[in-house]
Amino acid sequence: MVAWRITKPDGRRRRVALNVAAQLFLVGWVLLMVNGWVFYYSWPVDLTEDERFTLPPETITLLESLETPVEVVIPFRFGSDLKGVLERKVFQRASRVLLEMERVSPANLRVVKQLEVGADPDEWQLVQAEYKLESINRIYLITPDRREVLAPSDLAVFRSVDELALGEQTELIAENVVEALTVALRRVVQAERPQILITQGHGEMPIEAMSVFARDIAERGFDVRPINLREVQQIPEETDLLVIACHGTQQGFDGFGRDVVSILESFVERGGALFMTLPFDRPTGLEECLSKHGIDVLPGDVARVGVDNKGLKRANRGFTTPFFNKEHPITRRFEAGKDQAHFYVSRALDGSADTLLMTGEDCWLETTTTLRRDAAEQTGPFRIAMASKGDQSRIVVFGPVFVTLDKHYSGVARQTLLNSIFWLTHQETLSAGSLASETTRRIQLNDKTQSAFFWTCIFVVPGCSILAGLLAAWFRRR
């Protein structure tokens, strides 16, 4: 019997080999499944000493103190391009934060529906009708009498391809998901709706042409209405903010007469707030009033030499603002060099009021109809947005003519306008960038790098481990 075991070990070796192969297969399969699952699915665990990535105390306090239950509906359908991928990731992060908020205070906040619109059109129609939803790729925070709407650009700062910045790719610069959701919760439970009047009747930009801007501020809890200054003797006492969007030559803005100027000056003197965009080539009649509050309108418009769509350098009125005032509540969330606001056609400003936005040094002030840089013309940088704060009154003036127009109302320019609205209505604590919680910054991998990380996690690292084990076993047998 002993001799047989010595002379015929094939059966025992075969069993050992099969056992080793089975164990290696099982270990490889477990490593493959675990790595694949972890690569695509993750959960947050805050291991920082100061709990930096946990819901801030002010958010938890707000959730626990809500007197009105808030329902959350998230309809989405993102594109397959890079911008759509980035926006989907931001929404996934927001969804996780909302679920954590629901866990903290289930009686006050409830995520009732996350719906991919294209997957079930019939269900989308039912949800749309039930909650009166107008757009997709939005987060709706709904109470019985109020609602707040968050777009991807409210949750993060993106840098997108723009006709004024050729060659740029879409990037996710920074996230502020927890902060934006906290701000939206504060707004949706506000007791009163501040009233905003948009002037009409003197060739101002029609509300239909800036419908996105009007809807944006209405969705943020404001009561938005038009007012024809030709038909009133004074601005109503309950008005919190007056918006004057001068459109320029196309609509024939004819300026304000002495009677209207007196109405507007009286409104500002009694503590009213004024937001104004300037016309392209004519006075408004309010220059003297603005000058009293430290905002002077310079003659001419901003021009620079840029690259057109054909790659040719030529003088144009499009430019990018490299400067943001980090000291002012309206613009302190932005960073020069990372955030860029693109504008087309702008007046230049000066004076003692606070600067919000400024052009680069490559611009000049064009004072003639010929778009050509002359030695006598003033060179940049120029202020193109300023804010004035009196004892009670507040004024924000934007030089860019078309900033509220639907076509140009996007990105950093959009967020700057929204922050201006909040500041003017004394709600700067409700604007994004106002909380003390840190902004999440992340590295975004392109498809090639992400694929390399995937295959490294799935095969390379486990394969090296298995190979090292086999080599160790082989050396022992020697």
Side-chain angles (χ1 to χ4, degrees):
M1 190 68 175
V2 174
W4 181 87
R5 286 186 177 179
I6 294 175
T7 58
K8 295 185 177 182
D10 295 342
R12 182 173 179 273
R13 287 182 178 178
R14 189 178 298 111
R15 288 194 298 272
V16 171
L18 289 174
N19 186 33
V20 171
Q23 290 184 26
L24 289 176
F25 174 79
L26 180 62
V27 170
W29 183 83
V30 170
L31 287 173
L32 181 67
M33 293 298 103
V34 170
N35 276 279
W37 186 80
V38 170
F39 188 85
Y40 285 107
Y41 300 94
S42 61
W43 61 95
V45 178
D46 191 354
L47 301 178
T48 57
E49 182 178 356
D50 55 355
E51 297 184 336
R52 174 175 309 182
F53 302 110
T54 304
L55 288 179
E58 58 265 36
T59 302
I60 296 175
T61 302
L62 176 63
L63 286 167
E64 294 175 345
S65 63
L66 292 178
E67 297 181 357
T68 304
V70 178
E71 293 185 333
V72 181
V73 181
I74 310 175
F76 62 91
R77 184 177 60 196
F78 296 104
S80 59
D81 57 355
L82 180 57
K83 185 173 185 293
V85 171
L86 295 177
E87 289 181 345
R88 179 184 289 272
K89 288 191 174 186
V90 171
F91 261 49
Q92 289 173 344
R93 157 82 167 146
S95 176
R96 290 195 294 267
V97 172
L98 285 166
L99 291 174
E100 176 65 15
M101 289 181 173
E102 184 179 26
R103 187 191 66 79
V104 170
S105 183
N108 293 334
L109 185 140
R110 188 166 62 97
V111 181
V112 296
K113 184 67 67 175
Q114 297 187 63
L115 173 67
E116 187 164 5
V117 173
D120 192 340
D122 294 335
E123 184 181 5
W124 161 239
Q125 291 182 359
L126 293 175
V127 172
Q128 186 179 24
E130 180 181 358
Y131 292 98
K132 297 180 175 60
L133 308 181
E134 297 182 356
S135 305
I136 62 173
N137 300 337
R138 298 289 189 271
I139 296 177
Y140 290 86
L141 283 73
I142 303 171
T143 66
D145 57 346
R146 298 282 297 275
R147 66 176 53 203
E148 280 292 318
V149 185
L150 292 174
S153 56
D154 295 315
L155 304 169
V157 178
F158 299 93
R159 180 182 296 161
S160 301
V161 176
D162 189 277
E163 65 272 12
L164 300 178
L166 299 178
E168 282 192 335
Q169 299 297 319
T170 304
E171 295 179 81
L172 175 57
I173 304 300
E175 288 182 7
N176 58 322
V177 172
V178 176
E179 182 180 7
L181 290 172
T182 304
V183 167
L185 279 173
R186 287 182 181 176
R187 289 198 296 257
V188 79
V189 295
Q190 280 180 307
E192 299 180 358
R193 292 173 62 90
Q195 186 178 93
I196 297 179
L197 299 184
I198 301 178
T199 65
Q200 304 283 271
H202 288 79
E204 299 97 323
M205 184 180 296
I207 294 181
E208 295 77 15
M210 52 176 175
S211 59
V212 179
F213 169 67
R215 185 176 69 243
D216 224 3
I217 56 179
E219 288 177 342
R220 279 150 183 80
F222 294 95
D223 181 11
V224 182
R225 304 179 185 182
I227 181 174
N228 192 330
L229 296 179
R230 296 184 184 275
E231 300 174 355
V232 298
Q233 300 298 319
Q234 66 173 6
I235 307 299
E237 293 286 343
E238 62 272 17
T239 304
D240 293 280
L241 173 62
L242 190 67
V243 174
I244 304 175
C246 304
H247 192 233
T249 56
Q250 184 176 353
Q251 293 295 326
F253 178 74
D254 52 15
F256 299 121
R258 187 64 245 174
D259 293 342
V260 174
V261 169
S262 297
I263 294 174
L264 296 175
E265 288 179 341
S266 175
F267 171 71
V268 173
E269 287 174 2
R270 71 170 190 253
L274 176 66
F275 175 85
M276 185 174 184
T277 64
L278 297 173
F280 172 50
D281 63 346
R282 61 195 65 189
T284 64
L286 286 173
E287 284 75 16
E288 184 177 347
C289 176
L290 296 177
S291 183
K292 291 179 181 178
H293 292 83
I295 302 176
D296 298 321
V297 182
L298 301 180
D301 58 286
V302 176
R304 67 183 289 269
V305 175
V307 180
D308 63 13
N309 293 329
K310 296 181 180 179
L312 302 176
K313 288 186 176 181
R314 62 179 61 189
N316 60 65
R317 292 183 170 89
F319 60 92
T320 300
T321 55
F323 172 80
F324 301 91
N325 186 354
K326 296 290 291 183
E327 303 299 323
H328 201 279
I330 293 176
T331 50
R332 66 184 173 198
R333 72 164 288 192
F334 304 117
E335 294 186 20
K338 293 185 177 180
D339 301 319
Q340 296 183 352
H342 305 300
F343 297 108
Y344 180 74
V345 183
S346 177
R347 301 290 297 275
L349 306 171
D350 202 359
S352 59
D354 294 330
T355 301
L356 299 178
L357 304 174
M358 186 178 289
T359 71
E361 297 180 355
D362 58 341
C363 297
W364 75 89
L365 196 60
E366 183 59 67
T367 56
T368 67
T369 56
T370 303
L371 197 60
R372 182 180 60 194
R373 187 167 189 170
D374 299 326
E377 290 177 324
Q378 185 178 349
T379 58
F382 299 106
R383 306 175 187 184
I384 59 167
M386 299 182 70
S388 173
K389 181 179 179 181
D391 294 335
Q392 293 181 323
S393 63
R394 295 187 177 191
I395 300 175
V396 170
V397 177
F398 267 67
V401 175
F402 303 113
V403 68
T404 58
L405 193 66
D406 287 350
K407 178 181 178 181
H408 299 275
Y409 179 72
S410 62
V412 175
R414 168 184 174 271
Q415 193 60 60
T416 306
L417 261 65
L418 287 176
N419 287 351
S420 298
I421 299 299
F422 294 131
W423 181 78
L424 287 165
T425 54
H426 299 266
Q427 299 182 71
E428 52 264 54
T429 57
L430 301 184
S431 61
S434 61
L435 297 183
S437 58
E438 297 211 0
T439 298
T440 303
R441 298 189 179 274
R442 63 169 58 187
I443 299 172
Q444 179 62 39
L445 305 178
N446 57 33
D447 292 339
K448 184 177 180 181
T449 307
Q450 188 172 355
S451 178
F453 269 94
F454 174 80
W455 293 114
T456 299
C457 295
I458 296 299
F459 291 111
V460 177
V461 174
C464 290
S465 301
I466 294 173
L467 180 61
L470 291 174
L471 288 174
W474 183 73
F475 278 113
R476 283 201 199 100
R477 292 178 66 86
R478 292 185 59 186

